[in-house]
Structures are given as C-alpha cells and as structure tokens.
Amino acid sequence: MTLLAAAHQASWLGQGVDVIVAWLLANAQGAFDVIKVSVLAVVSFIEILLDALPAWLLAWAVAAVGLWRVSGGFALFVLLGLNLVLSLQLWNAMIATLALVITASLLALVIGLPLGILSARYRSVWRVVRPCLDLMQTMPAFVYLIPAVMLFSTGAVPSILATLIFSMPPVVRLTQLGLSQVPADLLEAGRSFGCSERQLLWKVQMPTALPTVMTGVNQTIMLALSMVVIASMIGGGGLGDVVLRGIQQLDVGLGFEGGIAVVILAVILDRLSQSFTAREGQPLRQRWRAWMSPWRSS
C-alpha cells in the first residue's frame, strides 16, 4: 500500500515545480495582481464594447465584412448562423467567449510576432525559443489550467493566460518560417536601394512573408477558441459553460446547442482571418456582378 501511494505522488521533478510555484506565490503576488487587473480590464473593455452594439447591428457588420473579404455566400451564412445563436438564447455567452478569444489572441500576437521576428533575425534566439515552443505545443491543454488557477485563482484571467500559452506557438513558428524563406535576392535588392534594416523588415520581408504570418495568426485564433472552451472548467464562462453544463447534467441537447454555437463562431473567425492569408483576390464589385449575373435576364 505504501508503494502504491508513493507511485501517485509527484517525484523530484514535480516537487521542484511545486517549490517554484510556492516561491512565486510568496514573493511575486504583487506582480500577479497587476497582471490580473490589467488583463481583466482589457477583456472587460472588449466585452462591454461588443455588448454595446445591438445584436442585429453586430450581425450585419460581420456579414458586411464577410461580403467584402470572402463572398456573398459566407455573408449569408453569417446572418443565418448568428440569428440561430440568438434564437438559442446563447448570444451573451457567445459574446463572452468572443471577448476571451480576442483578448487572448491579441496578447499572443503582441508577444508572438516580435518573438518570431527576433527568432528569424538571430539564430541564438531561435535555438532558445524552439524548445520552449515544443514544450508549449505538446503539453496537454489541461495541465496549463493547474498553475493558472494557483497563481490567479479562477475566472476569466487564468483562462486567458492559459489560452495565451496554448495558442501562441503557431504565430511564432510561422512568423519565423515566413521571414526565413524570403528570397535572398529580394534582400540584396532592398539593400542595394539603400534600405535600412528596419525598412528591409517592414517593406520587403513582412510583405513577402505576410501569407505565412497570417496563417500563423489564423491558427492562433483557432487554438485560442478551442482552449477557451476547455477553460470553462476554471470559470472562464461563455459557451464553454454551456458545454460543461451539458456534460455535467448528461444533457445531450444542451451540449449540442453549445457545440453548434462554438462551431458557428469558429467558422466565422476562421474564414475571416483566413481571408488575409491569400493574396488580394477578385474585387468586391466583380464578385457582386458574378453573384448577380444568374439572376439577370439575358
């Protein structure tokens, strides 16, 4: 029995992590409080901003962006999908989830993009960052919830910070990859025209690598949405709570409604962010004429 109990306890590695967390709680609580207040202020501001818009206005605004960036069919899907969410009385939960996703994605981009640029510029930085990204991507998602709760209690803030860690690797990796794959002749041409290193980055490298970088942004947003749903276990709120209640109550219908709302939000975020990964496509006027042409009499 003693051996069996010992097998379920943390070994030297886990005990070392426990010591580090205990030291942080004892000596860095002030810094954690500042982070908590700052993140909470950002997510609260975004949620208030989204709540200030009437549901119909927000739906039409997103549909208009979808028509501009994607297609008329996608704009119709946005209107039907958001009206379905509204009819299921899950609009407020969807707004809460969207605010969490936007906040976590913005923080991931603010940290991840400069880190990707530095990794592309300096091999030594990439050698240090790459193993960290491997750890962040392969660690089970639920493991991030434990230190987040210990350091920040429960609620939106630990959910956002756990989501930040989980969703940041793609934008770092793909920014580094895109900048590293810029042809050398373009860099030489930029230098021959007198570009400084900063001009070379923003006027040559970033425009060339933009599709790859935007693919990383797209993947970061998608991972953030998936993690926000999981983070409902620590009080993240939003649609994740609906799915979690469905699991706890074994209510298939409730879980299905929450899942459908998540799918609709995921498709909208995916298509809109994905529209920036490709080169400039057909202009809106041409797409509108092509869409309307079958309805016109010959």
Side-chain angles (χ1 to χ4, degrees), residues 29-48:
Q29 192 60 51
F32 294 136
D33 290 339
V34 171
I35 294 173
K36 184 175 182 178
V37 171
S38 302
V39 173
L40 193 59
V42 174
V43 69
S44 299
F45 173 76
I46 293 174
E47 189 169 355
I48 290 171

Side-chain angles (χ1 to χ4, degrees), residues 219-234:
Q219 292 303 305
T220 291
I221 294 172
M222 291 295 97
L223 287 176
L225 180 58
S226 67
M227 186 63 185
V228 160
V229 175
I230 295 174
S232 63
M233 298 178 63
I234 58 173

Side-chain angles (χ1 to χ4, degrees), residues 62 70 74 77-78 81 218 222 225 259-275:
V62 176
V70 187
F74 175 73
F77 167 81
V78 169
N218 171 265
M222 291 295 97
L225 180 58
I260 284 293
V262 171
V263 168
I264 291 170
L265 182 59
V267 171
I268 292 173
L269 292 175
D270 178 59
R271 297 297 186 273
L272 289 179
S273 58
Q274 206 173 59
S275 68

